Amino acid sequence: MDAFTYRNGILHVDDVPLNQLADQYGTPLYVYSRSHLKAQFKALVDAMAEVKPLICYSVKANSNGAVIRTFADLGSGFDIVSGGELFRALRAGADAGKIVFAGVGKTEDEIRYAIRENIRFFTVESEPEAMQIARCAESMGARARIAFRINPDVDPKTHKYISTGKKENKFGLDMERAQRAYAFAATLPGIEIAGLHMHIGSQILTVEPFVEALDKVLPLCRQFQALYPTFKTLDIGGGIGIQYKPDQAPLAAAAFAAAVVPAIKRSGLSIVMEPGRNLVGNAGVLLCRAHYIKESPLKVFVIADAGMNDLIRPSLYQAHHDIRAVRQITGTLQGDLVGPICESGDFVAQDRVLPAVQAGDLLAVMSAGAYGFSMASTYNSRPRPAEVMVEGKRLALIRERDTREDLVAREPDPAGIRF
Ligand SMILES: Cc1ncc(COP(=O)(O)O)c(C=O)c1O
């Protein structure tokens, strides 16, 4: 969270005071530090230097074109999960040859789009999906490169909604099925076996789950390297956890690398990584303004203009985001920071010690750069926030706030609808 510091009692992003951005662009407002994005990317490149991985930034974490562009300029590839993300990545200058396409439910249209653009490879979640990709590739006179996603059945000890590598999760093929799946795919015209993929979950704070998963998949890779001459890549996914709470130790890139590099280096495979949160999570805050302070018999509610529609992580995953007053104050209150949405589940912070703000004060919801705006909705017909990117003293509006007209832009005038 180094990009956000108090100077003269005002919270800044890089060299820009957050109250200036609120005055200029209004609230709620997502604010990102470009310097932090670059520093995180560089830290991962440096830590993993021995295996020179292709880092494919996971676009779902934050899909703003300016974020994608920042990483593309650093040589990043991209992990996508939809035709929409492919479109966004290409529009922002991504090299299609560095794009990998994951997800359990790729449609025929999305598969054809990705083959047309000649992406690096598909990560494949089932045999029927491999058949679908093969059919598309063959009919287009192309060959599609694939890596099956293997579910190594390890517990990443994270929230159950962001755990993806356990047997009960919908993702990947179980280890026992892997041999048969590869043998089957090798018979399909239009398919080239490129490697193996794993992604065991998100916000993982210790190295053990990664080490355990690699212990399981590397022997499989050895078999496949011997069987399939085109099997050359191991994609180790994303999942590196970040600091959300002051007392929480993040999984440092160096510690991650120290644990995984020796084994993956020995494999001789070329390595792909898919970090999302690690690169963008602490690069962003959601800036909001307290509008009312409501004292109920049980607690105080700070009612702000940002809610679950802007940042759903607290409601969806009981996620913790630190809350800081933009104008530094020492007093505290015990209560909830809630939004304007008509749901009891609409909270940004629940049962917490919060800065003792008054109506009109600005608050920063910290660590909101990942899975923040990209999961935002217009529920309750609230326009989605604007997004601003800062580097040093310079700033750019990277997404305008939705207008009310935007809310209905795809709907015909109801008065003109005839059945
Ligand atoms: C296949 C895949 N790769 C990478 C990621 C990025 O994960 P993280 O943001 O935890 O690094 C995800 C997240 O859901 C994913 O599903």
Side-chain angles (χ1 to χ4, degrees):
M1 296 183 215
D2 326 337
F4 297 88
T5 50
Y6 282 105
R7 297 186 196 170
N8 304 320
I10 301 287
L11 192 58
H12 282 58
V13 51
D14 287 13
D15 299 327
V16 179
L18 287 175
N19 53 351
Q20 178 195 315
L21 295 177
D23 289 345
Q24 206 168 338
Y25 299 106
T27 55
L29 179 71
Y30 274 99
V31 180
Y32 310 116
S33 159
R34 192 158 184 261
S35 334
H36 188 85
L37 299 178
K38 291 179 174 176
Q40 288 298 104
F41 191 85
K42 184 171 182 308
L44 206 49
V45 169
D46 290 350
M48 298 293 292
E50 258 189 89
V51 287
K52 292 192 174 53
L54 172 63
I55 296 180
C56 289
Y57 164 63
S58 192
V59 171
K60 67 177 82 64
N62 185 322
S63 45
N64 186 288
V67 173
I68 298 174
R69 180 86 204 191
T70 299
F71 292 130
D73 287 347
L74 297 172
S76 184
F78 297 93
D79 156 48
I80 58 156
V81 286
S82 67
E85 286 191 352
L86 177 54
F87 175 76
R88 279 182 176 278
L90 294 174
R91 177 175 175 269
D95 174 352
K98 294 183 182 173
I99 291 179
V100 299
F101 191 169
V104 290
K106 303 173 192 78
T107 65
E108 181 177 341
D109 172 61
E110 290 175 318
I111 292 168
R112 287 182 181 277
Y113 178 23
I115 293 174
R116 242 183 354 260
E117 295 296 341
N118 199 17
I119 65 160
R120 193 177 195 90
F121 59 81
F122 292 88
T123 65
V124 176
E125 304 253 3
S126 65
E127 293 92 337
E129 187 195 329
M131 284 164 68
Q132 174 75 297
I133 293 172
R135 267 196 300 272
C136 292
E138 205 187 356
S139 73
M140 294 168 75
R143 270 173 91 70
R145 292 165 290 276
I146 68 158
F148 274 110
R149 177 169 177 175
I150 300 303
N151 181 333
D153 191 26
V154 299
D155 183 355
K157 305 214 162 43
T158 187
H159 190 277
K160 66 178 178 182
Y161 287 3
I162 50 175
S163 157
T164 58
K166 288 166 77 180
K167 248 196 172 105
E168 60 265 35
N169 300 133
K170 71 176 173 183
F171 298 101
L173 288 175
D174 52 87
M175 304 277 296
E176 298 74 45
R177 272 242 305 279
Q179 256 114 348
R180 266 183 292 142
Y182 273 88
F184 169 69
T187 67
L188 295 172
I191 291 289
E192 178 177 306
I193 290 177
L196 183 145
H197 174 233
M198 66 174 216
H199 169 76
I200 56 174
S202 200
Q203 186 52 13
I204 302 170
L205 288 167
T206 60
V207 294
E208 286 76 18
F210 293 104
V211 172
E212 195 188 328
L214 285 170
D215 281 349
K216 290 187 171 181
V217 303
L218 280 169
L220 265 185
C221 288
R222 273 195 292 282
Q223 291 177 32
F224 297 148
Q225 279 167 287
L227 287 168
Y228 312 111
T230 52
F231 186 103
K232 293 200 170 3
T233 301
L234 171 61
D235 180 342
I236 60 174
I240 302 173
I242 62 166
Q243 181 181 24
Y244 281 98
K245 300 178 186 172
D247 58 351
Q248 190 174 41
L251 176 46
F256 175 81
V260 304
V261 162
I264 58 181
K265 193 174 175 197
R266 271 195 304 277
S267 75
L269 290 162
S270 88
I271 302 300
V272 171
M273 299 179 70
E274 303 172 345
R277 190 188 310 267
N278 171 263
L279 297 182
V280 295
N282 275 323
V285 298
L286 173 59
L287 198 55
C288 61
R289 196 178 288 282
H291 281 269
Y292 305 101
I293 310 295
K294 178 172 167 176
E295 299 198 16
S296 82
L298 284 182
K299 55 178 153 180
V300 179
F301 291 100
V302 176
I303 303 172
D305 54 12
M308 65 188 293
N309 53 316
D310 305 303
L311 178 69
I312 202 172
R313 298 189 69 258
S315 305
L316 187 62
Y317 311 130
Q318 297 78 48
H320 175 108
H321 288 266
D322 261 6
I323 308 296
R324 295 193 199 163
V326 169
R327 201 173 291 278
Q328 204 165 17
I329 41 179
T330 45
T332 57
L333 62 81
Q334 178 81 33
D336 293 6
L337 173 62
V338 300
I341 299 297
C342 294
E343 299 281 346
S344 296
D346 175 31
F347 54 85
V348 178
Q350 200 172 37
D351 294 324
R352 294 263 297 275
V353 177
L354 298 170
V357 285
Q358 295 178 356
D361 286 349
L362 288 169
L363 290 162
V365 182
M366 307 304 293
S367 312
Y371 308 103
F373 188 93
S374 62
M375 293 177 102
S377 78
T378 57
Y379 183 44
N380 277 199
S381 288
R382 301 195 73 87
R384 283 172 303 173
E387 294 175 286
V388 173
M389 187 177 276
V390 172
E391 183 164 32
K393 285 184 165 42
R394 286 167 298 154
L395 52 102
L397 178 65
I398 59 169
R399 189 182 192 282
E400 289 180 14
R401 182 178 307 284
D402 283 350
T403 63
R404 292 194 181 118
E405 284 302 316
D406 289 334
L407 296 174
V408 295
R410 312 296 292 178
E411 296 175 25
D413 179 352
I417 299 174
R418 300 279 173 271
F419 294 96

